[in-house]
Amino acid sequence: MDEHAETLRAVEHELTALLRRGRAVSWEVAREVHPNLEPNAYGLLLWLRRSDRIRLTDLAARLGIGKGTLSRQIRALETLGLVSRTPDPSDRRASQLSLTEEGQRRFDAARAARLEHIRRVLETWPAADVAEFARLLGRFNDAWP
């Protein structure tokens, strides 16, 4: 058997395990942010926290999802009081999305718990390995279409 093919199978296996665990953690973290929050909304909140303010079209492009789908998810977050829309100063027809103060508070608390879990998992790793792991994950994510 081709060694490269076997290595790719190993990568696929590990990614599958990581994604399975990630989905389980996403449910837990979403519930920490708000009991009625859908698990996939954590990623939206993460991007909004990083961006401060962002247009829906720009966020949809970054996440690779349709504007209609994203708009429905954002409306749900608005209903929960976690996200707000404000007019875009450069184009009054558009709006910018941002976390509300409550959304920031809840997200930051849930994120701190998630980061603590990651810290515990990686605490026995040498710092250079953790840095290399982060670099390689970033490279992989950047290459993903």
Side-chain angles (χ1 to χ4, degrees):
M1 177 186 297
D2 181 313
E3 186 176 323
H4 186 66
E6 187 58 35
T7 301
L8 289 176
R9 284 187 192 93
V11 168
E12 189 259 349
H13 172 80
E14 296 303 330
L15 280 174
T16 301
L18 178 65
L19 292 171
R20 187 180 61 245
R21 284 189 185 101
R23 279 191 298 274
V25 169
S26 289
W27 275 101
E28 294 170 22
V29 173
R31 296 297 180 246
E32 288 178 33
V33 174
H34 193 283
N36 297 328
L37 188 67
E38 291 293 323
N40 62 352
Y42 180 84
L44 292 176
L45 296 175
L46 176 63
W47 274 104
L48 289 170
R49 186 67 170 116
R50 283 183 182 166
S51 304
D52 188 39
R53 294 187 183 284
I54 190 168
R55 293 171 109 186
L56 186 127
T57 52
D58 295 337
L59 183 58
R62 282 190 184 176
L63 296 173
I65 60 177
K67 289 187 292 184
T69 299
L70 181 58
S71 188
R72 283 189 297 279
Q73 292 174 343
I74 293 297
R75 275 194 302 276
L77 294 171
E78 286 178 297
T79 300
L80 296 174
L82 303 174
V83 171
S84 66
R85 292 179 200 242
T86 55
D88 185 337
S90 64
D91 181 356
R92 292 287 182 195
R93 296 169 297 168
S95 59
Q96 293 181 331
L97 305 169
S98 62
L99 293 180
T100 62
E101 285 185 28
E102 180 68 6
Q104 283 184 10
R105 186 188 66 72
R106 287 175 175 252
F107 175 82
D108 289 349
R111 186 179 199 194
R114 187 176 207 176
L115 289 173
E116 176 58 23
H117 179 77
I118 293 169
R119 186 198 64 74
R120 282 193 313 271
V121 169
L122 298 175
E123 71 185 349
T124 61
W125 290 29
D129 286 357
V130 175
E132 181 68 359
F133 183 56
R135 186 188 71 75
L136 291 171
L137 281 174
R139 182 176 170 194
F140 180 81
N141 284 325
D142 288 346
W144 198 269

